[in-house]
């Protein structure tokens, strides 16, 4: 296979591969390598050029869909060596924030530092950049509609407090206002483990962290009630909230340690009118033990939910964050796995069938379960120190 050399602005070259190699053993999964260069710790998708087709954002670059052979700079940037961090690109989201009909890019830099909004000008060249937050802490901020008003908020930490940032929708480029929902919890911006979803069953999103969850008040501006719960020790990555066992309430899935081992799901149970949780192991925290199919791996630093087999049951994806701390984490030199955990009904519960879809890509701080080509099937897309990859079937 011959690489396609992309000649990009500022004279930067990125190698992209136009076809995929079928993994050994006849796997139906195919990997497309957009680049082997380290461009980003996270990845996002959306239509940036208005042609109705999703593109991919990887750091300072966007790759034009549907073939992703063409990469373009929308701001200054370059590939970096893997013995470091992509300080200005840890997570990103694609959305039309200013309402002009063109999708913009919202990008989180190194944990606890800037959140930058890049406004799509509809033409080549650098996009206008607006620093909307000077601190957006935690390892996995969330961009979602927290209060159900049809507008999104940025869930994160500031000053060691959990909360969310509100956008001034009259001018989205103005600094965003942070609203704390907790007392100060830490002096570190590197808090691992954050999620949002309705755990109480009242129709409102709650905020979940590794040591418990905050129940959203009935009225905006009210006090968020904290429920301590030992979910995840050191903490992992995105904490996923959905009805895994199809019993009508939302459960929660989380890695236990974003730089170690362990993966669990918490079954939401009602007891005496209160929300309680029953813990179920998926991957052991003990590295000498294995989970489904003899599987074990570390560095589960990104998770995302999606129905990959279209059976109406929500699955999820994760993988190894390769070289996260530059070779200093447990299992760091093991294969960079990309894994889908399929949700199978087992009695009244769930059996998670794990399928390794690739062993040389993994995840960064953000992974996508996204239908890039519009065929109704989800792809596994990630940007990491292994490059930028799309895995599909």
């Amino acid at each position: 296979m011959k690489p396609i050399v992309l000649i990009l602005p500022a004279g930067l070259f990125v190698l992209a591969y136009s076809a995929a190699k079928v993994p050994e053993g006849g796997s139906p999964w195919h990997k497309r390598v957009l680049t082997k260069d380290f461009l980003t710790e996270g990845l996002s998708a959306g239509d940036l050029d208005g042609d109705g087709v999703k593109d991919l954002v990887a750091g300072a670059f966007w790759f034009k869909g549907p073939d992703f052979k063409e990469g373009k700079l929308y701001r200054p940037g370059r590939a970096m060596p893997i013995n470091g961090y992509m300080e200005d690109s840890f997570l990103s989201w694609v959305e039309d924030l200013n309402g002009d009909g063109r999708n913009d890019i919202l990008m989180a830099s190194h944990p606890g530092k800037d959140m930058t909004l890049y406004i799509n000008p509809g033409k080549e060249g650098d996009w206008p950049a607006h620093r909307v937050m000077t601190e957006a802490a935690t390892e996995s901020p969330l961009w979602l509609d927290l209060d159900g008003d049809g507008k999104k908020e940025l869930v994160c930490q500031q000053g060691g407090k959990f909360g969310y940032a509100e956008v001034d929708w009259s001018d989205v480029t103005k600094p965003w206002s942070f609203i704390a929902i907790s007392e100060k919890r830490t002096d570190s911006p590197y808090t691992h483990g954050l999620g949002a979803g309705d755990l109480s069953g009242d129709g409102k999103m709650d905020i979940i962290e590794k040591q418990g969850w905050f129940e959203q008040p009935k009225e905006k501006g009210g006090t968020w009630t904290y429920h301590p719960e030992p979910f995840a020790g050191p903490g992992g990555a995105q904490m996923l909230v959905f009805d895994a066992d199809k019993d009508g309430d939302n459960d929660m899935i989380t890695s236990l340690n974003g730089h170690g081992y362990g993966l669990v799901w918490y079954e939401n149970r009602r007891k005496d009118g209160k929300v309680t949780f029953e813990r179920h192991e998926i991957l052991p925290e003990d590295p000498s033990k294995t989970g489904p199919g003899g599987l074990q791996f570390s560095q589960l630093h990104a998770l995302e939910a999606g129905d990959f087999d279209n059976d109406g049951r929500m699955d999820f994806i994760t993988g190894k964050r390769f070289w996260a701390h530059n070779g200093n984490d447990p299992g760091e030199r093991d294969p960079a796995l990309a894994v889908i955990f399929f949700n199978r009904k087992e009695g009244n519960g769930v059996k998670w069938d794990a399928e390794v879809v690739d062993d040389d890509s993994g995840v960064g701080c953000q992974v996508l379960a996204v239908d890039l080509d519009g065929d109704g099937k989800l792809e596994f897309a990630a940007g990491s120190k292994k490059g930028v990859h799309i895995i599909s079937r």
Side-chain angles (χ1 to χ4, degrees):
M1 183 189 308
K2 293 183 178 180
I4 297 171
V5 179
L6 303 181
I7 304 176
L8 301 169
L12 181 67
F13 293 80
V14 176
L15 295 179
Y17 292 82
S18 60
K21 178 182 177 183
V22 178
E24 295 180 4
S27 169
W29 297 96
H30 304 259
K31 179 173 69 173
R32 188 183 313 178
V33 183
L34 276 60
T35 176
K36 292 186 176 181
D37 289 330
F38 175 35
L39 301 182
T40 184
E41 305 274 3
L43 197 67
S44 57
D47 178 14
L48 294 176
D49 55 3
D51 64 356
V53 177
K54 288 187 178 73
D55 310 301
L56 286 175
V57 175
F61 299 85
W62 69 277
F63 289 84
K64 180 175 172 56
D67 55 20
F68 307 102
K69 294 179 182 179
E70 183 182 6
K72 300 180 180 182
L73 282 168
Y74 65 92
R75 62 172 172 85
R78 60 188 178 90
M80 296 290 288
I82 67 170
N83 288 324
Y85 302 97
M86 189 59 68
E87 296 283 346
D88 59 2
S89 178
F90 268 66
L91 301 95
S92 63
W93 300 268
V94 174
E95 188 162 328
D96 178 12
L97 270 78
N98 64 356
D100 65 355
R102 295 188 294 265
N103 280 326
D104 311 304
I105 298 171
L106 179 63
M107 184 157 291
S109 60
H110 193 274
K113 296 186 178 179
D114 296 352
M115 182 71 63
T116 304
L117 174 60
Y118 296 91
I119 297 295
N120 188 343
K123 59 183 179 181
E124 299 286 338
D126 288 352
W127 293 19
H130 303 272
R131 187 172 67 171
V132 293
M133 297 179 68
T134 57
E135 181 189 2
T138 79
E139 295 270 338
S140 50
L142 304 170
W143 173 242
L144 45 76
D145 181 5
L146 185 65
D147 55 12
D149 66 351
K151 300 289 187 179
K152 292 185 178 179
E153 290 79 30
L154 196 287
V155 180
C156 61
Q157 281 185 337
Q158 274 193 8
K161 300 178 181 180
F162 285 99
Y164 58 94
E166 289 189 324
V167 183
D168 181 347
W169 292 102
S170 67
D171 184 354
V172 297
T173 66
K174 289 182 178 179
W176 296 1
S177 301
F178 182 78
I179 299 172
I181 65 166
S182 78
E183 299 299 322
K184 185 175 180 179
R185 301 287 297 278
T186 179
D187 290 319
S188 171
Y190 307 114
T191 301
H192 285 70
L194 187 64
D198 180 13
L199 292 181
S200 65
D202 65 355
K204 292 180 174 292
M205 275 199 177
D206 308 306
I207 294 176
I208 302 96
E209 54 104 2
K210 63 184 179 181
Q211 296 174 335
W213 59 287
F214 300 90
E215 184 175 354
Q216 185 168 171
K218 293 181 178 180
E219 301 295 332
K220 189 175 179 65
T223 300
W224 291 63
T225 303
Y226 186 64
H227 303 273
E229 195 78 38
F231 284 132
Q238 290 82 4
M239 303 174 79
L240 306 178
V241 178
F242 58 83
D243 186 2
D245 53 9
K246 306 288 285 185
D247 67 350
D249 54 32
N250 283 325
D251 310 297
M252 195 271 287
I253 293 88
T254 183
S255 55
L256 296 176
N257 186 344
H259 298 287
Y261 295 86
L263 177 68
V264 298
W265 76 280
Y266 284 91
E267 183 181 356
N268 189 339
R269 288 181 173 272
R270 293 282 178 149
K271 185 177 181 180
D272 299 328
K274 296 182 179 180
V275 177
T276 63
F277 295 94
E278 181 177 351
R279 173 173 161 154
H280 302 274
E281 181 181 275
I282 303 174
L283 292 177
E285 199 168 7
D286 183 344
S288 68
K289 299 179 180 179
T290 61
L295 182 66
Q296 179 63 294
F297 62 100
S298 65
Q299 320 301 314
L300 287 76
H301 210 291
L303 285 80
E304 175 74 325
D307 184 1
F308 272 81
D309 52 6
N310 292 322
D311 67 349
R313 299 177 69 88
M314 192 65 71
D315 315 306
F316 70 94
I317 58 176
T318 186
K320 176 187 289 295
R321 184 183 172 195
F322 174 75
W323 222 243
H325 286 157
N326 310 318
N328 297 310
D329 288 325
E332 188 74 275
R333 290 167 173 81
D334 294 342
L337 303 184
V339 185
I340 300 175
F341 286 88
F342 288 99
N343 181 345
R344 310 297 190 205
K345 181 177 173 59
E346 185 175 62
N348 292 325
V350 174
K351 176 184 177 184
W352 298 101
D353 283 345
E355 183 173 353
V356 176
V357 296
D358 189 68
D359 64 2
D360 191 32
S361 56
V363 300
C365 296
Q366 185 180 32
V367 64
L368 297 182
V370 59
D371 181 5
L372 291 171
D373 54 14
D375 67 351
K377 299 178 182 179
L378 295 178
E379 279 79 44
F380 183 125
S384 69
K385 290 182 176 179
K386 282 285 186 177
V388 180
H389 310 87
I390 301 170
I391 302 168
S392 59
R393 65 176 175 182

